[in-house]
Amino acid sequence: MESRAIHTLALAPMVKTRLHIAGYKTIGDVWKATRSQLCKDTGLAIEEVESVWQVIENVGKNLVFHTGNDLLQKEDNRIAIMTFSERLDTALGGGVQGGTVTEICGLPGTGKTQLCMQLACDVQIPRCLGGQGAEALYIDTQGGLVMERLTEVVSATVAHCRQIAIQDEHPEMSLKLSSLSIETMLAGVHVHRCTSHLQLLAIIEQLQAFLKANRKVRLVIIDSVSFHFRHDFEDLSLRTRILTNSAQTLHKIARSFDIPVVVTNQMTTRVHQGPGQKGSSVVPCLGESWGHACGTRLLLQWNMGTRQAFLLKSPSLKSCVVPFLVTKDGIRDHVPSIDTVGLESAVDATVPNTLESPFKRQKLT
Amino acid sequence: MTELDQIDIDCRLKACLRKLRLTTLKSILYLTGPVGGLSPSDVETVKLAAAKIVNKEQPVSAKQIFENEKLHHLKLTTGCAVLDQALRGGILCSGITEISGESASGKTQFALQLSLTSQLTKQYGGLDSGALYICTEDAFPSKRLYQMIKNFTASHGNKLCNQGNLGDKIFIEHVADFEGLMSCLSNKAPILLNSGAVKMIIVDSVAAHFRSDYESNEMYKRAQHICAMGSLLCKYSHKHQIPVVCINQVTSSMSPDSRQLIPSLGLAWSNHVTNRIMLARTQRSLTIQQDSAHGPLETVVREMEVVFAPHLPTITVPFVIDHEGMKGFAQNIL
């Protein structure tokens, strides 16, 4: 440790330069000197020297290594947030995973906001029914979070949970469910309306403090992260730098609180240039560097009258395409038999709820 | 007093920031790593302190918002019970509502009607205020508006917010190019909105300039301009809780698996739209009975389709246009 170079420490650049000029290259060099000598040599104030000492003393202290086995066990204990579409859950490995940043991208009207609303409800499902019994923070930049619709999804979710409890005739469970109501579920979604990119940056900055104060909040949704960043920016390299930094912060939050962070992203047109590459395609916004920033990427799209979710990127799962529905009650599985009923009238909201057994989504272990 | 003075941090950090000329909240929040005399933990402290000033709001629970919205009616009625039912109460007061369709499908009629219904009192689903109507294409159809006002006053007279002429509360602005549109939106609109004279912005249409004024090599500039306009409209909508209605033209789509006509301006615009409604003419026609003064009228049946909206399923409602305006009817009459 003594041979560790000064410039690798978490110090201010100015302090590092002063130390370097004065000939202090490693931690060992600093250790050998007294504080007053350091002051004299570097011209730094005594408080600054004190902070250098503090940083050096803390080096290596909170260093804990986890084995792969530990992490695996931790991952096994983690409960993913279900989406209420079984196939989508399977594609995502049980639902939206904790500890990572998941990006949902898609063209307007493909169901990004709907999926987010569903997740904000599902995170509140009691533990006895396979949920988390937690709350959600919803950062809404586009005004897409319409209370009317959220209430609809919430009441469907509550009704669904009650039905399962009745079916099972489990006295303990019904006791737990008695506290579950539309009001409590709505109260469990904390909404932050955000009107500028600066405010979004500020909110991201304050996230850690908020999550510390509200331990029940175990899901952060940003819908959408790209909206404000797409204008107001002339300097694209500055934008990339800020976005990468924000992504880092989100990752840190996801990891340190072990919660899922879900962000939505818009799409943009990329024009291909060069020989043999004419034409254009639709790609997620914010450029290539942002694509690296998210652990999991889910693309929502319409295909031949059905909604599809396409898992673009995932560290542990194979990429695949699954169909899903947005019904009056929220996100549901696409039941193949509907295909034959006729795509002409393929208004997914009119699909009767009876087609889907509510118990299908039951996750009891 | 600079923005730096408001930030709650100790003098050493302030001095460092001043030295680095980081005196605005923006520049501080843009910091991404240690600079100058600021160590990584200093940067965190400074950013958090700046964030507290930029964002003073705390998250509100959905329950509170829901109860607030119940008190303030947040939908603008279309003036027709059938269409209102399809739209669950009317046009949403947050975000941009786009009305697109081929020519003569009734887009301007819809917009004119909304400029009248906005003047109904809140009790009847209106906004108790006027509208700003920005015309970019044709001359404003004042004759038709006058006719609609006459009929509207006759049928809804007691429900109106002012007893004067309805036309007095519709502020019409003709703009000829993108610069004109932006200067109208950024200079005139705030004055009207802040004074409370208008609680709705209608742009008829958003597409006109963008489809004609740009060369094919200026597409990037065009997209930037569309974004600038869209974000400004979004900002007004959320700040003042007002509906913004934008009329859009349609363009043909070459891709075989999607609809034949799609709203123009592409993704740059679509990403800003919260609710997309499309109007279309059908081949059918219908004879409707009007009052004795006008006699029966044969008219073409049109359709209103909700393409996407966060709170609505995709549905199609047939409607006709008569001397009073748009009227939806149930499908089974045909």
Side-chain angles (χ1 to χ4, degrees):
Chain A
M1 197 182 104
E2 278 171 35
S3 58
R4 183 169 163 182
I6 289 290
H7 65 84
T8 61
L9 295 174
L11 291 169
M14 187 196 75
V15 176
K16 283 188 202 168
T17 321
R18 291 272 183 93
L19 286 168
H20 194 83
I21 292 168
Y24 295 95
K25 310 276 191 216
T26 61
I27 291 182
D29 294 343
V30 178
W31 255 338
K32 275 179 224 144
T34 61
R35 282 165 212 219
S36 54
Q37 200 183 344
L38 266 178
C39 282
K40 215 168 88 191
D41 288 353
T42 58
L44 290 167
I46 188 77
E47 297 89 32
E48 285 168 314
V49 170
E50 194 57 46
S51 67
V52 172
W53 270 93
Q54 258 175 23
V55 169
I56 291 177
E57 271 165 16
N58 284 328
V59 165
K61 257 186 190 166
N62 300 313
L63 216 54
V64 189
F65 289 102
H66 297 284
T67 63
N69 201 13
D70 290 346
L71 291 177
L72 184 67
Q73 268 180 1
K74 201 173 157 197
E75 264 178 41
D76 283 345
N77 291 333
R78 225 182 245 162
I79 315 167
I81 303 175
M82 49 184 148
T83 60
F84 268 29
S85 158
E86 199 162 12
R87 294 177 71 180
L88 188 55
D89 282 350
T90 316
L92 290 168
V96 176
Q97 301 289 344
T100 62
V101 180
T102 303
E103 183 195 66
I104 303 169
C105 45
L107 292 171
T110 45
K112 303 186 291 292
T113 304
Q114 300 296 329
L115 187 51
C116 287
M117 285 187 197
Q118 184 72 56
L119 289 173
C121 289
D122 291 351
V123 76
Q124 300 187 53
I125 293 173
R127 277 173 178 276
C128 56
L129 288 178
Q132 304 217 348
E135 294 179 354
L137 175 68
Y138 200 115
I139 301 165
D140 180 22
T141 62
Q142 271 178 296
L145 183 67
V146 180
M147 282 308 132
E148 193 186 320
R149 177 67 184 147
L150 183 67
T151 317
E152 220 169 59
V153 177
V154 162
S155 33
T157 313
V158 171
H160 184 98
C161 290
R162 288 227 172 102
Q163 208 165 353
I164 293 173
I166 293 167
Q167 189 85 359
D168 284 17
E169 292 172 358
H170 210 295
E172 191 196 352
M173 199 187 285
S174 29
L175 189 74
K176 273 186 185 162
L177 282 180
S178 59
S179 65
L180 194 71
S181 70
I182 298 173
E183 278 79 38
T184 53
M185 258 208 182
L186 280 178
V189 183
H190 303 268
V191 183
H192 224 317
R193 294 247 152 99
C194 167
T195 50
S196 70
H197 75 274
L198 212 56
Q199 199 190 353
L200 184 60
L201 285 178
I203 291 172
I204 292 175
E205 208 57 48
Q206 290 171 305
L207 261 184
Q208 189 147 10
F210 176 81
L211 290 171
K212 254 185 199 151
N214 300 275
R215 282 284 177 182
K216 276 204 89 179
V217 175
R218 306 221 13 105
L219 169 67
V220 177
I221 298 170
I222 304 180
D223 180 20
S224 74
V225 76
S226 54
F227 186 64
H228 293 306
F229 279 106
R230 297 198 66 193
H231 22 81
D232 318 341
F233 272 98
E234 295 283 308
D235 186 351
L236 287 183
S237 72
L238 175 70
R239 186 180 86 166
T240 308
R241 200 155 54 86
I242 294 168
L243 275 169
T244 316
N245 192 256
S246 302
Q248 283 296 333
T249 316
L250 291 178
H251 266 295
K252 217 164 84 187
I253 284 163
R255 233 186 354 256
S256 61
F257 291 90
D258 201 26
I259 57 170
V261 173
V262 176
V263 299
T264 67
N265 194 358
Q266 300 177 332
M267 305 291 276
T268 189
T269 312
R270 174 178 292 165
V271 181
H272 300 295
Q273 277 165 339
Q277 278 196 327
K278 284 275 179 281
S280 63
S281 61
V282 179
V283 295
C285 293
L286 302 180
E288 209 55 52
S289 64
W290 176 258
H292 294 295
C294 325
T296 311
R297 262 189 152 177
L298 193 67
L299 173 73
L300 306 185
Q301 61 193 18
W302 279 99
N303 190 7
M304 310 292 283
T306 38
R307 290 175 200 265
Q308 286 183 338
F310 181 19
L311 189 65
L312 276 180
K313 174 188 170 186
S314 164
S316 55
L317 297 153
K318 65 173 194 292
S319 70
C320 56
V321 181
V322 287
F324 71 100
L325 286 180
V326 178
T327 68
K328 187 175 147 284
D329 296 342
I331 306 286
R332 292 294 182 268
D333 246 342
H334 186 273
V335 184
S337 65
I338 298 168
D339 277 341
T340 52
V341 176
L343 280 173
E344 300 320 314
S345 61
V347 179
D348 41 6
T350 57
V351 173
N353 300 327
T354 46
L355 271 174
E356 161 138 26
S357 154
F359 312 112
K360 227 176 117 185
R361 293 294 317 127
Q362 184 176 6
K363 269 195 181 174
L364 276 172
T365 41
Chain B
M1 189 163 140
T2 60
E3 287 180 323
L4 183 61
D5 297 323
Q6 306 165 27
I7 304 174
D8 184 22
I9 44 172
D10 67 40
C11 306
R12 181 181 71 85
L13 295 177
K14 270 190 190 173
C16 282
L17 287 170
R18 242 182 231 119
K19 221 173 178 179
L20 294 163
R21 301 224 177 105
L22 297 169
T23 50
T24 60
L25 292 170
K26 195 170 167 176
S27 59
I28 292 169
L29 281 176
Y30 282 180
L31 278 178
T32 51
V35 306
L38 298 171
S39 70
S41 62
D42 288 342
V43 171
E44 248 171 65
T45 322
V46 170
K47 278 177 84 175
L48 192 62
K52 273 185 190 149
I53 294 178
V54 172
N55 176 47
K56 293 202 176 89
E57 292 164 34
Q58 283 295 313
V60 198
S61 84
K63 191 180 159 206
Q64 263 170 294
I65 299 177
F66 182 67
E67 277 159 9
N68 271 340
E69 282 185 5
K70 258 199 270 180
L71 293 178
H72 313 279
H73 195 76
L74 281 174
K75 296 247 177 87
L76 168 64
T77 175
T78 58
C80 161
V82 181
L83 294 181
D84 274 354
Q85 199 193 354
L87 295 172
R88 296 203 192 162
I91 303 289
L92 212 60
C93 284
S94 64
I96 295 177
T97 300
E98 179 200 67
I99 301 169
S100 59
E102 53 198 312
S103 61
S105 54
K107 305 185 293 286
T108 302
Q109 292 298 319
F110 201 164
L112 288 177
Q113 190 159 335
L114 290 175
S115 71
L116 296 181
T117 56
S118 75
Q119 300 185 49
L120 291 168
T121 54
K122 289 210 164 131
Q123 195 186 344
Y124 295 102
L127 300 171
D128 224 343
S129 187
L132 170 64
Y133 199 108
I134 301 173
C135 256
T136 66
E137 284 182 12
D138 212 353
F140 182 77
S142 40
K143 267 202 183 134
R144 173 64 179 147
L145 180 69
Y146 180 67
Q147 187 195 13
M148 286 173 83
I149 287 176
K150 227 168 57 184
N151 290 311
F152 197 77
T153 324
S155 53
H156 294 88
N158 54 340
K159 302 173 190 168
L160 293 170
C161 61
N162 67 331
Q163 293 305 321
N165 190 348
L166 282 174
D168 290 350
K169 286 225 162 187
I170 303 174
F171 297 83
I172 297 152
E173 180 80 25
H174 281 278
V175 294
D177 50 17
F178 173 74
E179 280 72 33
L181 178 63
M182 284 310 273
S183 82
C184 173
L185 282 177
S186 47
N187 301 328
K188 292 181 184 169
I191 300 172
L192 286 169
L193 287 170
N194 289 332
S195 71
V198 303
K199 281 199 181 136
M200 173 155 79
I201 298 175
I202 299 171
V203 185
D204 181 4
S205 72
V206 286
H209 305 323
F210 294 116
R211 295 191 83 177
S212 59
D213 297 355
Y214 295 83
E215 305 282 333
S216 59
N217 59 1
E218 292 181 316
M219 283 301 148
Y220 181 68
K221 194 172 115 194
R222 186 180 101 136
Q224 270 191 325
H225 286 175
I226 292 174
C227 274
M229 178 187 71
S231 62
L232 191 60
L233 288 171
C234 274
K235 207 179 92 190
Y236 286 143
S237 175
H238 291 136
K239 193 173 160 202
H240 299 277
Q241 280 294 311
I242 56 162
V244 173
V245 175
C246 294
I247 289 178
N248 195 358
Q249 301 170 353
V250 286
T251 179
S252 295
S253 165
M254 294 301 166
S255 93
D257 54 343
S258 72
R259 58 178 76 231
Q260 292 211 307
L261 288 174
I262 53 169
S264 62
L265 300 188
L267 262 185
W269 167 250
S270 298
N271 278 327
H272 290 94
V273 175
T274 313
N275 310 293
R276 169 164 279 174
I277 294 171
M278 278 186 90
L279 306 180
R281 285 168 81 96
T282 64
Q283 300 297 324
R284 294 164 294 173
S285 66
L286 189 73
T287 311
I288 45 168
Q289 289 297 323
Q290 302 189 71
D291 50 40
S292 51
H294 294 82
L297 172 83
E298 185 165 354
T299 178
V300 65
V301 176
R302 298 153 208 257
E303 279 179 345
M304 178 184 84
E305 185 192 357
V306 179
V307 181
F308 62 76
H311 63 306
L312 296 175
T314 49
I315 42 162
T316 306
V317 189
F319 71 93
V320 290
I321 295 176
D322 66 2
H323 60 289
E324 284 178 349
M326 289 172 73
K327 283 194 185 128
F329 56 87
Q331 192 96 42
N332 52 22
I333 291 182
L334 286 172

